Amino acid sequence: LVPTNDLSLGFDAKLYSYPWAADYYLTKNYYYSVYWKANTVSHATGIQGVPSYSYDGSVTRTTSMWGMRFLPSNFLVEFTMYLYAPYTGFYIFYFHNVDDGCMAFLGDGAFACCDSDDVSGGYDKNYLLYATWTFDTGPTGDTAQVYLKGGVYYPMKLVYINIGNIGTFGFGIQDHNGKDLELQDYLFRVPGSVKPSQCSKSSLELPQTSTTAVC
């Protein structure tokens, strides 16, 4: 649980270098524990809205986005934030139109609570969503259904890669009725002055379910 007095709307973004047309984005391990070893290009905090990207390849010079200026053709960006769950129950997380690669992490899979600057270990293979572009598939998406406890702030991280030219990705969350949340109202950040010792974990019991087979 995060100290709510220190929360503010928005998310943070950190930009890394990425080689033109490199196929690292097709390797899951690159998102788990490799990308953060590359050079950091820029860093911005308190960004309003929802993480997403759309680039048609027409701009060949630097552009401004997420409070940073960079070359849009090939890069990696890491988004860190806290997702507030407004109710206890199931949520549907989804990626759509991903070109070239994107992976989402939630809870302990993202980063230690109140320590979003440390994404360097302990999270192997613990991802929520993953989608990539290939010549065979074109842009793709992914979905996952997650049971969350209402009133809790969950660490969340998205890692997006554009390897060259055109790049896109969309991210959203739906409630149990399939209605999209106004996600910008549920994404928060915690300032670096808040230490991990000021946070605590929240436990959650899943509801009892039964399955009946009908022939």
Side-chain angles (χ1 to χ4, degrees):
L1 298 176
V2 180
T4 54
N5 291 338
D6 295 299
L7 286 164
S8 58
L9 281 171
F11 56 91
D12 295 348
K14 187 178 291 185
L15 203 70
Y16 294 84
S17 61
Y18 188 85
W20 174 272
D23 63 359
Y24 308 145
Y25 77 103
L26 295 172
T27 305
K28 291 179 180 179
N29 187 58
Y30 191 78
Y31 300 82
Y32 303 151
S33 58
V34 178
Y35 76 86
W36 45 264
K37 298 176 183 178
N39 293 328
T40 302
V41 177
S42 189
H43 184 212
T45 62
I47 304 163
Q48 303 298 304
V50 179
S52 64
Y53 186 66
S54 179
Y55 168 62
D56 62 8
S58 62
V59 179
T60 57
R61 57 186 182 276
T62 59
T63 187
S64 293
M65 188 173 293
W66 311 307
M68 300 177 287
R69 192 157 190 85
F70 60 96
L71 188 66
S73 56
N74 55 297
F75 67 94
L76 182 150
V77 61
E78 167 203 281
F79 302 103
T80 54
M81 66 212 80
Y82 290 83
L83 169 67
Y84 176 75
Y87 66 88
T88 297
F90 285 101
Y91 296 78
I92 300 170
F93 290 68
Y94 66 88
F95 281 154
H96 66 90
N97 203 32
V98 173
D99 181 352
D100 292 282
C102 205
M103 186 174 281
F105 304 81
L106 185 68
D108 288 342
F111 51 85
C113 196
C114 293
D115 196 9
S116 59
D117 287 336
D118 182 10
V119 295
S120 61
Y123 315 121
D124 289 14
K125 300 180 177 60
N126 192 8
Y127 68 90
L128 180 67
L129 300 171
Y130 175 55
T132 61
W133 173 96
T134 69
F135 285 106
D136 293 332
T137 65
T140 62
D142 194 17
T143 61
Q145 187 170 252
V146 184
Y147 192 81
L148 300 178
K149 183 177 181 179
V152 173
Y153 295 84
Y154 290 85
M156 187 164 66
K157 180 178 71 172
L158 307 181
V159 179
Y160 168 73
I161 299 172
N162 186 24
I163 70 170
N165 292 323
I166 295 172
T168 61
F169 90 92
F171 170 66
I173 302 176
Q174 296 176 338
D175 63 19
H176 57 281
N177 293 316
K179 180 180 179 181
D180 278 278
L181 298 179
E182 296 293 335
L183 199 52
Q184 66 272 12
D185 297 332
Y186 300 101
L187 301 183
F188 292 83
R189 66 177 303 271
V190 174
S193 58
V194 177
K195 305 303 178 186
S197 59
Q198 295 176 254
C199 293
S200 60
K201 289 189 176 182
S202 175
S203 61
L204 174 64
E205 291 185 7
L206 294 176
Q208 296 294 319
T209 60
S210 60
T211 302
T212 302
V214 178
C215 297

